[in-house]
Amino acid sequence: MTERDASGASDVLWATGCGISAFIALKCATLGTCLDIVLVARTQGYCLGDLSAGEGLAGLIWAASRFVIFPVLSGISLLASLPIILLAHLSSFANRDWLKATLMLLAALVSIAGPMVMIVHDVAVEGITGDCEPPWWPSWLPS
């Protein structure tokens, strides 16, 4: 017969791991949306110059769509990080704190990955037009 941890320390660690990933997803949903809109607007301003009224309205509608897409994408990234958090809390990793920390860091990176890829995609597709390449755009990213 085995004794169960009466303090519920594993439950606290599980909740902490899920809470950290949820906090990261929430921040990516809010700050990522704003960062995406600002970067695309500045890139379009650099490449196209002054936008016409029609282009400005199209940009406003595109920006409004990002307020829907980014929370969904952040939620999907959060769900993708949950199996990694589960793996970190298996009993086989009980005495390996460095492995738990590595897996928790990996879960945080998975939570961040979806919104960051979306930002790079939006800047490359929506912001950069034609042969224009902003001076800060790395050469290894698509334009």
Side-chain angles (χ1 to χ4, degrees):
M1 178 168 17
T2 61
E3 291 183 26
R4 185 179 166 125
D5 185 15
S7 66
S10 63
D11 294 337
V12 171
L13 290 174
W14 167 251
T16 303
C18 290
I20 289 171
S21 291
F23 178 76
I24 289 170
L26 181 65
K27 288 299 175 187
C28 284
T30 55
L31 298 177
T33 304
C34 296
L35 180 65
D36 185 39
I37 292 169
V38 167
L39 285 177
V40 169
R42 287 190 179 175
T43 306
Q44 283 179 342
Y46 178 82
C47 290
L48 298 176
D50 193 25
L51 300 177
S52 68
E55 290 171 332
L57 180 62
L60 183 65
I61 293 170
W62 175 85
S65 73
R66 290 307 175 241
F67 284 105
V68 174
I69 291 174
F70 262 84
V72 170
L73 186 63
S74 295
I76 291 170
S77 293
L78 172 64
L79 290 177
S81 72
L82 289 180
I84 299 170
I85 297 170
L86 263 172
L87 184 65
H89 294 293
L90 287 176
S91 60
S92 60
F93 298 131
N95 295 330
R96 295 178 179 92
D97 289 334
W98 64 271
L99 190 53
K100 280 185 181 181
T102 303
L103 287 173
M104 293 307 290
L105 178 65
L106 181 63
L109 291 175
V110 168
S111 292
I112 294 171
M116 292 303 117
V117 168
M118 187 68 177
I119 289 172
V120 171
H121 172 267
D122 284 345
V123 171
V125 171
E126 296 292 329
I128 298 175
T129 56
D131 291 334
C132 175
E133 189 170 308
W136 49 268
W137 194 251
S139 62
W140 52 273
L141 288 174
S143 59

